[in-house]
Amino acid sequence: MLEYRTQGFNGYGVKYSPFFDSRIAVAAFDTQDSLFDLSWSERHENQLVTACGDGSIKLFDIGINEFPIQSWQEHQREVFSVHWNLVAKDNFCSSSWDGTIKIWSPERSASIATLPTHSCTYSASWSPHSPSVLSSVSSDSHLRIFDLRTPPSAANHLQIAIPIHSSPTSIPLRSPTSKFPTFPPAEALTHDWNKYRDTILATGGVDRLIRTFDLRAPKSGPIAILAGHDYAVRKLTWSPHLSDLLLSASYDMTCRGAEWEGLVQQADQDEKSVA
């Protein structure tokens, strides 16, 4: 196993280059203003963008030392996530504690669009299947789907808003008198799109639960719920190679993996024990 220590810096995020399998970027900080996230450019092999605790977004070129080649300062609070568009490749999004998502182009000095969520937005991500669809999860316990092809007057491109804490209805009940437990709203910290199933997403957050949703049935609640972590789920990601493998990392200092079918079976077993 290879190991690299960011001596004198506190690491917060790490990403592999989409161009080189031997190149890794780390978001680290040694000041009060943290770097919360980073994302490699999908067009330029040497460029990456960072999410900063002072509300700024900075674009770096690793061929140029010390200074960013572009900087934006529109968010009013900490920027917690950045994500490059995997399909269009010419823009990226950011989410902030100020309750907004912004769309950016490296060639422009100002944002292209602003999407309000009205709550602290910890994670925003482009769909790997569409150049115009992006998603977010926020402190108000909602998963939001935006489609930039819709008119901006149509709820600021908002297409779907799913209460993450809603009870599941799509998992068969073992008994006609059985009822699913109810869940209080909790801050959602992370989410990810399935790389092979274009309507499937997973979310995780403060309540320690991982949920999967199918956008074809947004009112049916989660199609699977997985418990196991002892503290908040900080990060999760679907495998880029297998459609049914989901990985999660938590503040309980563990990383866990679960198969898609296993998630459904686990949720069914949890419901049976509650009933």
Side-chain angles (χ1 to χ4, degrees):
M1 181 181 69
L2 298 177
E3 181 180 283
Y4 176 77
R5 292 187 178 275
T6 55
Q7 192 69 32
F9 293 86
N10 301 299
Y12 206 93
V14 60
K15 297 287 176 62
Y16 266 103
S17 165
F19 298 97
F20 304 103
D21 60 6
S22 60
R23 182 175 291 178
I24 298 174
V26 180
F29 59 94
D30 63 348
T31 65
Q32 186 175 358
D33 289 325
S34 308
L35 292 183
F36 288 119
D37 197 17
L38 76 162
S39 182
W40 286 94
S41 168
E42 293 289 331
R43 296 179 63 184
H44 197 299
E45 63 189 31
N46 289 330
Q47 293 183 0
L48 53 87
V49 65
T50 61
C52 305
D54 62 0
S56 68
I57 298 168
K58 292 179 171 61
L59 180 68
F60 290 90
D61 190 308
I62 62 176
I64 302 174
N65 293 328
E66 298 184 8
F67 299 106
I69 60 175
Q70 179 66 286
S71 181
W72 299 271
Q73 185 85 50
E74 290 188 20
H75 284 295
Q76 301 303 307
R77 293 198 61 189
E78 293 90 335
V79 182
F80 211 69
S81 77
V82 285
H83 190 254
W84 213 280
N85 193 318
L86 301 174
V87 181
K89 301 183 185 298
D90 60 353
N91 56 59
F92 62 92
C93 67
S94 64
S95 69
S96 170
W97 293 2
D98 66 7
T100 65
I101 300 167
K102 290 181 179 288
I103 314 299
W104 309 86
S105 168
E107 285 78 31
R108 297 193 183 187
S109 60
S111 61
I112 300 173
T114 299
L115 310 174
T117 64
H118 308 293
S119 60
C120 177
T121 305
Y122 290 103
S123 175
S125 178
W126 290 98
S127 166
H129 311 284
S130 170
S132 57
V133 175
L134 67 156
S135 56
S136 70
V137 291
S138 308
S139 60
D140 65 353
S141 189
H142 275 72
L143 167 66
R144 291 178 172 86
I145 307 297
F146 299 89
D147 190 339
L148 301 183
R149 294 169 296 187
T150 61
S153 58
N156 292 297
H157 302 291
L158 180 64
Q159 187 180 40
I160 302 172
I162 301 175
I164 295 174
H165 55 280
S166 59
S167 296
T169 61
S170 58
I171 304 174
L173 289 170
R174 296 275 182 163
S175 168
T177 60
S178 299
K179 293 183 179 180
F180 285 108
T182 58
F183 303 94
E187 290 188 317
L189 304 179
T190 179
H191 77 298
D192 193 35
W193 291 82
N194 188 288
K195 308 304 186 295
Y196 296 90
R197 305 177 183 185
D198 60 2
T199 63
I200 302 298
L201 295 93
T203 68
V206 172
D207 63 2
R208 304 170 294 171
L209 299 175
I210 296 171
R211 297 173 172 88
T212 54
F213 294 89
D214 191 332
L215 299 183
R216 294 171 296 183
K219 296 182 180 180
S220 297
I223 57 176
I225 301 175
L226 180 65
H229 283 295
D230 296 325
Y231 292 101
V233 180
R234 175 63 188 86
K235 196 74 174 178
L236 54 78
T237 183
W238 289 99
S239 168
H241 306 292
L242 301 171
S243 64
D244 59 351
L245 182 60
L246 179 67
L247 299 179
S248 62
S250 165
Y251 285 117
D252 63 11
M253 306 301 290
T254 66
C255 179
R256 301 175 183 237
E259 292 185 358
W260 168 260
E261 297 301 331
L263 289 180
V264 177
Q265 293 169 6
Q266 177 67 40
D268 194 37
Q269 290 296 321
D270 290 344
E271 185 277 324
K272 181 180 179 181
S273 64
V274 171

